[in-house]
Structure formats: C-alpha cells, structure tokens
Amino acid sequence: MIRSTDPHLEPFRFFADARPTVSSRSRYYFRPCYRYITATPSALHFPLLISWMSSKKESTGTSSSSPVKPVLMALDQHTSSMELPASNLRVVYLNQPQKNVGFAGNQVVTAKYNVWTFVPAFCYERFTQVSNFYFLLVGIGQVIPAITSTFGLPYSLVLGLVLFVDAIFTGVEDFHRHAADAVMNARETRVFDPTLPTSFRQTTWKDIVVGDVLQIKKYEAVPADMLLLAVHETDPSAPVGMCFIETKSLDGETNLKIRQALPCTFAQLHDPASIGHLPGRVACEHPNHDVNNFMGRFEPGDDASVIPLDLKNVVLRGCVIRNTPFVYGLVLNTGTHFKPPRAILQLL
C-alpha cells in the first residue's frame, strides 16, 4: 500500500495500520477510505471523503452507530482547531505584550482561609453539615427554660469541644498550605528580556504573565503551560527541536515523554536574541482540566501556512525538563488557568 506523508492523514493512519480484527463491515468502510485518501490530492481529501462516506451510508442504510461515525469524529477534531474563529479561542501574541491583556496572573493560592475569613468560613462549613446543625439546634433548645431537660445547662458543650479541636487541626493544615504557596510562588525562573545583554532576567513564578518567553533548564519544573518554541541543539547545523519531559506530577507516570518544538520557530532561534524577532500568535483552546489533550494553531503572521498544535507541542505546568540542557517556551496558561494535575482533580 502506498504510504502518504501528508500530515492531514494522521487521524486516519490507524485504520490502515491496525490489524483487521473487527467485523467485515468495518474493513469494508476503512480500507477503501484510506486507499482513496492516499490517491487523492490533499486539498480534496476532506470534502470528497465526507461525500464518499455519505453515499456509502445512504446506500447501505447504516445507522448512526456505524463505523463511519468515528471517522467523521476524528475529522472534526482534526479540523476544528483550524476552522474555529479567533473569537472562540484563546489568543496569545508572541513578542506583543501590549495585546496579551485580560489573563489571570500566575500566583497560585491553594489555601482556603485567611486571618479574617477563618472563623466565619469554618463555622459555615461545619454547620452546613446535617449532624452538626442538628446538635446545634438541640443545644439551643436546652437553654430555653420552657423546653429544657437539663435545667438550662447547654447540652452542646461536647459539640463545641469537637469543633474547637477540628478548628485547630484545620488551621494548622491551612497554615502549611500558605507556607507551601509562598515557596511555590517565590521559585525563580528566567524570562526573555531584549533589553539585557544576556537576553534573560530572573523572575519569580508569580510574576510570569501570558505571552512571556521562558528559558527552562534541565531538571527544572515548568512554571506555566507553555508552547515549546526551541530546545538546545547538540548539532546546530541540523536542529531537530525535540526534548524529553517527566509528567509524574500530572499523571503519575515516571517514563519520559517526547515533546516537539515548532519547526518554524526552532529553526530561527540560533541565539537568544533572535527570540525578540519571532512574529506570530497562538490561537488555542480555553483552559480546561484535560491534561491528555490540547488543540490550537500557530499563525506565523506572514504568508506562511497555519500550523496545527496538539499536546506534543505543549509542556504543562509541573512537568520537569529532562535530558535537555534548556528549552524555550511561550506561556499560554497561567495561575488558576493551567491544566491541573490529576491528583487535584480527584479532590474536586
């Protein structure tokens, strides 16, 4: 079978590579579909493919649960990031900080209380529980002379003691959260600054904003979700733009994963100063909790074609750079907008 190198065929590649372990009807749909794609110019793939599948569906009377549906779903997922207007996407400009406004800061606060809100918030949370509210009503009834059975003595002293001990443990736990937040937000990284001879200046995680270009070194954690622009190349004459990351804090997996920088950017970054001359913008999905998927596009800003983006081009907050001296990345999501680790999602 002729293999096509067209990137538009990636959503359908698994149909041809998979072993025919499904029904004969599935083979009837998928194999002619792939042969038809590889023999047709890429500009005609998608409209002709939909027309061909629609005719097959009508002629065979296939229901909506037929094997055609996964193909159309894959087609929609592949083309949605290219066809959605910028108004429905999160737009981040490269080297244009005046346009990157309205985004959240990168300061993360996991603590629930402060000095002023601890007592009212704690009491509200505890007395919204049915058992605590019941014993509170019983205690109030015991101090009313007409209905008391304890000669006016408050029956809720035990409840108050339990809540007092609970408040101490809750306060200590929240204090440690404040301390951990302070340490996390005060961690340092390097952000691109064209006014400096070294092109990078030290800054804290909490001061990072959307649109910054960061330099993350080996064994350092990524402070925000970022698009990979370039990596340190062992052979500058033949750049590959590939690095390895560790995602243990996101999914618990210790095996390293590959991330790929954009070819249109890593080929131009011969030195740090060239970062300031990169044009373009990123239109991507709005922040969400799905750490296994990403959808967007990179628009170079000239007559070059739009480049689709997926998870292999993005490094999420909390990942650790491995086996690479340093990487450059464009910040996309900050603060509460970053894709959270799966461990946090289990607590929500």
Side-chain angles (χ1 to χ4, degrees):
M1 181 181 297
I2 299 176
R3 295 285 182 174
S4 173
T5 59
D6 196 321
H8 296 296
L9 302 183
E10 291 302 325
F12 310 98
R13 185 76 63 190
F14 67 95
F15 293 131
D17 295 339
R19 298 181 64 86
T21 57
V22 294
S23 63
S24 59
R25 175 176 293 183
S26 300
R27 294 196 298 271
Y28 172 76
Y29 279 104
F30 295 153
R31 292 203 171 191
C33 166
Y34 186 81
R35 293 193 184 99
Y36 182 81
I37 294 173
T38 56
T40 309
S42 59
L44 302 178
H45 286 164
F46 297 140
L48 293 181
L49 175 62
I50 295 177
S51 176
W52 179 84
M53 288 186 171
S54 300
S55 62
K56 285 293 183 182
K57 183 176 180 180
E58 294 175 358
S59 62
T60 58
T62 308
S63 63
S64 59
S65 60
S66 67
V68 177
K69 188 174 181 180
V71 180
L72 296 178
M73 292 177 61
L75 179 62
D76 292 339
Q77 293 176 357
H78 179 71
T79 59
S80 58
S81 64
M82 305 292 291
E83 296 176 353
L84 283 177
S87 59
N88 295 336
L89 297 173
R90 182 184 181 93
V91 181
V92 179
Y93 292 87
L94 181 59
N95 290 318
Q96 300 183 59
Q98 69 278 5
K99 294 185 178 181
N100 296 321
V101 295
F103 299 113
N106 201 43
Q107 184 175 7
V108 176
V109 178
T110 60
K112 298 175 60 177
Y113 315 100
N114 56 39
V115 177
W116 307 107
T117 63
F118 178 76
V119 174
F122 176 81
C123 293
Y124 175 79
E125 291 178 355
R126 294 304 181 268
F127 287 116
T128 52
Q129 300 176 5
V130 177
S131 58
N132 292 337
F133 185 70
Y134 168 77
F135 285 108
L136 176 64
L137 294 180
V138 172
I140 295 175
Q142 296 303 321
V143 298
I144 301 177
I147 61 175
T148 181
S149 61
T150 59
F151 304 100
L153 297 177
Y155 181 75
S156 57
L157 289 178
V158 177
L159 175 62
L161 179 61
V162 172
L163 293 180
F164 177 74
V165 175
D166 187 14
I168 293 178
F169 281 99
T170 302
V172 171
E173 180 183 0
D174 202 64
F175 174 79
H176 289 301
R177 288 185 179 180
H178 277 285
D181 291 341
V183 173
M184 179 68 68
N185 293 323
R187 297 178 69 174
E188 293 187 346
T189 187
R190 288 156 298 281
V191 62
F192 176 72
D193 189 346
T195 62
L196 298 179
T198 58
S199 299
F200 286 92
R201 59 178 172 84
Q202 293 285 340
T203 187
T204 57
W205 282 26
K206 66 179 181 180
D207 295 326
I208 295 173
V209 297
V210 172
D212 283 346
V213 177
L214 306 180
Q215 182 191 55
I216 310 299
K217 294 186 177 181
K218 186 178 180 180
Y219 298 122
E220 289 184 349
V222 177
D225 297 349
M226 66 181 193
L227 173 66
L228 197 61
L229 298 178
V231 304
H232 176 268
E233 302 289 352
T234 56
D235 185 6
S237 61
V240 294
M242 186 179 298
C243 73
F244 292 88
I245 64 170
E246 182 184 88
T247 61
K248 182 170 57 176
S249 63
L250 273 70
D251 51 22
E253 298 181 3
T254 57
N255 58 305
L256 302 183
K257 297 179 176 61
I258 297 177
R259 289 296 182 265
Q260 177 68 49
L262 297 180
C264 64
T265 58
F266 73 73
Q268 304 180 40
L269 297 181
H270 305 292
D271 58 86
S274 60
I275 296 177
H277 303 291
L278 285 177
R281 68 176 188 175
V282 177
C284 60
E285 62 185 10
H286 287 285
N288 56 72
H289 293 170
D290 189 358
V291 298
N292 296 317
N293 294 285
F294 182 84
M295 184 179 297
R297 62 175 182 256
F298 181 76
E299 303 171 0
D302 50 17
D303 296 334
S305 59
V306 175
I307 302 174
L309 305 176
D310 56 20
L311 189 62
K312 69 180 180 182
N313 306 120
V314 177
V315 183
L316 303 181
R317 176 181 172 127
C319 295
V320 178
I321 304 300
R322 299 289 298 272
N323 299 348
T324 305
F326 62 83
V327 302
Y328 298 139
L330 173 66
V331 176
L332 301 179
N333 301 325
T334 54
T336 56
H337 289 172
F338 73 96
K339 290 176 178 284
R342 186 172 301 174
I344 296 180
L345 290 178
Q346 294 176 353
L347 300 177
L348 297 179

